[in-house]
Amino acid sequence: MAAWTTNDIPDQSNRTVVVTGANSGLGAETARALARAGAQVVLACRDVAKGQEVADGIGENAQVRRLDLADLSSVREFAAGLAATHETIDVLVNNAGVMAVPFRRTADGFEMQIGTNHFGHFALTALLLGRITDRVVTVSSTMHRIGKIDLDDVNWERRRYERWPAYGQSKLANLLFAYELQRRLAAHGSPVKSIAVHPGYSSTNLQYRSESRYGKLVELVTPVIGQSAKMGALPSLYAATSPDAEPGGFYGPGGLFEMRGHPKKVSSNARSHDEYVASRLWELSERLCDVQTPLTST
């Protein structure tokens, strides 16, 4: 793949894209680039005021709607509101997330990281899937490699909580979901694509809000070795717009250790391709989130 940039984004006129977590960082850069290419972008943000600042900078191609992925009632409200105004949505970019936060729970009692990063996006995708016409892009991380899905204790009710393994579990869940979604879409003859991405090591607010003991070190190191949010957003933009983005593909930076660089197709670990765990996680997610899709059975 050549050095793909935002200049390669095809014309997005007459297309609607929903980007979660678009009030800052990768989400904001994704929204800006899509809007410049002509798309109507819905900034789905927990912090509406910050989202509005981004939207004001974009102009008439952007609108802000409140979405708190750590609260399923908010996810349902957002999906219902969007359905009332949009018959179809071309692309959903599941971008928002939290990283390595201290132990806490979502409004629905999920561990915060898997609750926000996976369950919130799973429910959102399920509720919007009937309106999505082109593709679903889910942002994972190279940290999926340290993750392990404990189907009997995904919410850390019996295990001693460890913030980085919990983050890794949530990012592995993102990949298992993206791959399983593609399998189910294909089995049902749907033309919709499910594509996963990761941003490498990008200098964004996520790096500074981990609340971990290494927070100060991260603040010092990130500007030196991390790439810009604009570069980190390129895999998402490629997956969301390129006609060459493959269904079921995984894209990330093409540089050393996939930390920075232009997007390319990358690989993920064996755990992310475990179809049994992916199917079980899908069923568990449907039950815990109380949502179902036309893809419930394959």
Side-chain angles (χ1 to χ4, degrees):
M1 184 188 301
W4 193 93
T5 72
T6 53
N7 294 329
D8 297 304
I9 296 176
D11 181 20
Q12 298 296 296
S13 299
N14 301 314
R15 286 166 65 82
T16 299
V17 183
V18 175
V19 182
T20 68
N23 57 281
S24 65
L26 302 174
E29 294 298 340
T30 300
R32 291 183 183 112
L34 291 169
R36 283 196 300 270
Q40 293 292 321
V41 184
V42 179
L43 284 67
C45 307
R46 183 175 60 85
D47 191 328
V48 174
K50 289 185 177 179
Q52 192 60 55
E53 291 178 10
V54 176
D56 289 344
I58 292 174
E60 61 182 11
N61 279 17
Q63 61 173 286
V64 181
R65 299 200 180 198
R66 185 178 184 279
L67 171 65
D68 183 354
L69 290 162
D71 184 345
L72 291 180
S73 66
S74 176
V75 175
R76 294 180 189 281
E77 184 178 353
F78 173 87
L82 199 63
T85 56
H86 292 74
E87 184 174 344
T88 60
I89 300 156
D90 294 282
V91 181
L92 169 62
V93 181
N94 290 322
N95 164 82
V98 294
M99 182 177 75
V101 295
F103 181 75
R104 58 177 71 109
R105 295 202 176 276
T106 69
D108 303 279
F110 304 139
E111 183 274 315
M112 182 62 69
Q113 296 192 79
I114 200 163
T116 302
N117 299 348
H118 170 65
F119 288 129
H121 280 127
F122 179 92
L124 178 66
T125 304
L127 292 168
L128 295 181
L129 194 57
R131 299 179 183 275
I132 296 172
T133 63
D134 187 13
R135 56 190 81 181
V136 177
V137 177
T138 300
V139 180
S140 183
S141 167
T142 56
M143 293 295 285
H144 79 273
R145 298 182 184 280
I146 70 166
K148 183 178 180 181
I149 302 295
D150 187 332
L151 290 166
D152 296 320
D153 192 24
V154 293
N155 286 306
W156 298 83
E157 294 168 324
R158 292 186 291 277
R159 292 176 287 168
R160 182 174 66 85
Y161 179 73
E162 296 180 80
R163 64 181 76 198
W164 284 107
Y167 179 67
Q169 177 183 246
S170 74
K171 293 287 101 179
L172 177 57
N174 287 152
L175 274 176
L176 286 162
F177 165 60
Y179 294 156
E180 180 70 6
L181 176 58
Q182 180 56 47
R183 284 190 289 269
R184 291 176 182 245
L185 287 165
H188 283 75
S190 171
V192 176
K193 300 178 183 180
S194 172
I195 305 169
V197 303
H198 80 80
Y201 196 113
S202 299
S203 184
T204 68
N205 287 342
L206 188 65
Q207 307 293 344
Y208 302 116
R209 293 179 179 172
S210 69
E211 303 177 52
S212 74
R213 74 179 77 174
Y214 306 111
K216 291 298 181 183
L217 178 61
V218 169
E219 288 183 29
L220 292 173
V221 171
T222 294
V224 177
I225 66 173
Q227 64 179 353
S228 69
K230 287 184 179 181
M231 286 296 295
L234 288 181
S236 292
L237 290 165
Y238 179 84
T241 66
S242 174
D244 297 324
E246 299 176 8
F250 184 33
Y251 296 89
L256 186 65
F257 303 121
E258 299 175 18
M259 292 180 66
R260 57 194 304 146
H262 296 271
K264 73 168 187 177
K265 191 172 183 181
V266 297
S267 61
S268 60
N269 67 3
R271 285 175 179 162
S272 70
H273 294 286
D274 188 323
E275 295 187 20
Y276 172 76
V277 172
S279 180
R280 289 277 311 278
L281 178 63
W282 182 287
E283 294 165 0
L284 179 65
S285 301
E286 283 190 326
R287 178 168 58 82
L288 294 181
C289 296
D290 192 23
V291 294
Q292 283 192 329
T293 76
L295 311 178
T296 296
S297 59
T298 58

